[in-house]
Amino acid sequence: RKEVEQDPGPFNVPEGATVAFNCTYSNSASQSFFWYRQDCRKEPKLLMSVYSSGNEDGRFTAQLNRASQYISLLIRDSKLSDSATYLCVVNRGGSYIPTFGRGTSLIVHP
Amino acid sequence: DAGVIQSPRHEVTEMGQEVTLRCKPISGHNSLFWYRQTMMRGLELLIYFNNNVPIDDSGMPEDRFSAKMPNASFSTLKIQPSEPRDSAVYFCASSLQGDYGYTFGSGTRLTVV
């Protein structure tokens, strides 16, 4: 089993739709989780951290399920500008070393 | 803050040549990471420094790759000799302990012909 797994997509959704991505991780000792966004030919940028109680930032909601070892990202009211690749990041258990998933591609169309 | 600064942005070199990539992390960050990104393999961690000391270099592909961090504000990744399969985007990222996320530089797009 890979350390961090994501559905590569692409997820093709209309503007205004709600879309959700999941990411599973294999190391039950992992403590830190993040979602990053990467635009074509750009560097990854931090979208949001993922906290145990779940957290929200505007249209974006992140959840952590430790029992099933997955994190999720929900995007409400999708915008054209949300089109990008979304990378799940999990720190190796007991360290600050991040492992990146391969990313999920989102395409929002008019 | 200027963010993580990488140079050069693009590098085209011939097989067998030495390539040196440079990174200046964000001031005050104590962790530095070198990543390589390809379509086939995604983002792969090459090496991780903490307080200028290499902690994990298990991702360095082979002896042709070496990395140094002589001080808190500078790191290099060297490939000698370079091969076409080294063609990729190389990212440097820095963080403060890692709990607050990682900031990436703009990357170096390396092409070895």
Side-chain angles (χ1 to χ4, degrees):
Chain A
R1 182 180 177 186
K2 291 182 181 177
E3 285 188 73
V4 179
E5 291 198 73
Q6 294 183 251
D7 180 346
F11 285 63
N12 203 321
V13 303
E15 271 186 292
T18 295
V19 62
F21 310 135
N22 280 342
C23 165
T24 59
Y25 61 95
S26 60
N27 191 330
S28 60
S30 297
Q31 294 294 325
S32 300
F33 310 87
F34 308 91
W35 281 102
Y36 272 69
R37 169 191 170 130
Q38 186 172 25
D39 292 289
C40 188
R41 301 180 75 85
K42 298 286 190 181
E43 73 273 21
K45 292 185 177 177
L46 178 64
L47 180 65
M48 58 196 304
S49 302
V50 186
Y51 303 120
S52 297
S53 55
N55 48 299
E56 189 174 304
D57 183 2
R59 297 182 293 109
F60 299 83
T61 300
Q63 297 276 356
L64 167 63
N65 185 317
R66 287 191 185 274
S68 300
Q69 292 182 208
Y70 75 85
I71 67 173
S72 63
L73 177 68
L74 181 77
I75 306 176
R76 291 180 299 277
D77 189 24
S78 299
K79 312 291 185 190
L80 295 176
S81 57
D82 293 334
S83 297
T85 296
Y86 291 83
L87 302 165
C88 166
V89 185
V90 178
N91 278 10
R92 294 181 196 171
S95 79
Y96 294 116
I97 300 175
T99 301
F100 283 74
R102 293 292 304 275
T104 297
S105 174
L106 172 66
I107 301 170
V108 182
H109 59 81
Chain B
D1 198 320
V4 177
I5 299 173
Q6 290 187 245
S7 65
R9 291 294 302 274
H10 302 274
E11 177 82 32
V12 180
T13 190
E14 291 185 348
M15 183 173 62
Q17 296 298 306
E18 177 179 295
V19 176
T20 299
L21 311 181
R22 297 172 176 82
C23 174
K24 176 178 168 55
I26 289 174
S27 177
H29 280 189
N30 63 347
S31 297
L32 184 140
F33 307 83
W34 281 100
Y35 281 90
R36 177 172 67 178
Q37 188 174 38
T38 61
M39 288 293 292
M40 290 294 293
R41 302 174 69 89
L43 268 170
E44 299 175 279
L45 177 66
L46 300 177
I47 188 167
Y48 159 52
F49 291 89
N50 185 254
N51 293 322
N52 313 338
V53 176
I55 303 300
D56 186 338
D57 65 355
S58 59
M60 296 286 263
E62 48 200 91
D63 291 346
R64 298 185 298 106
F65 285 68
S66 63
K68 294 182 180 179
M69 191 164 186
N71 56 63
S73 59
F74 183 65
S75 177
T76 60
L77 177 68
K78 186 176 293 187
I79 308 172
Q80 166 65 12
S82 57
E83 297 182 1
R85 61 191 168 123
D86 301 330
S87 298
V89 180
Y90 290 79
F91 288 107
C92 173
S94 71
S95 75
L96 180 62
Q97 292 289 73
D99 278 353
Y100 308 103
Y102 310 87
T103 303
F104 281 75
S106 299
T108 295
R109 187 170 298 274
L110 174 65
T111 303
V112 183
V113 297

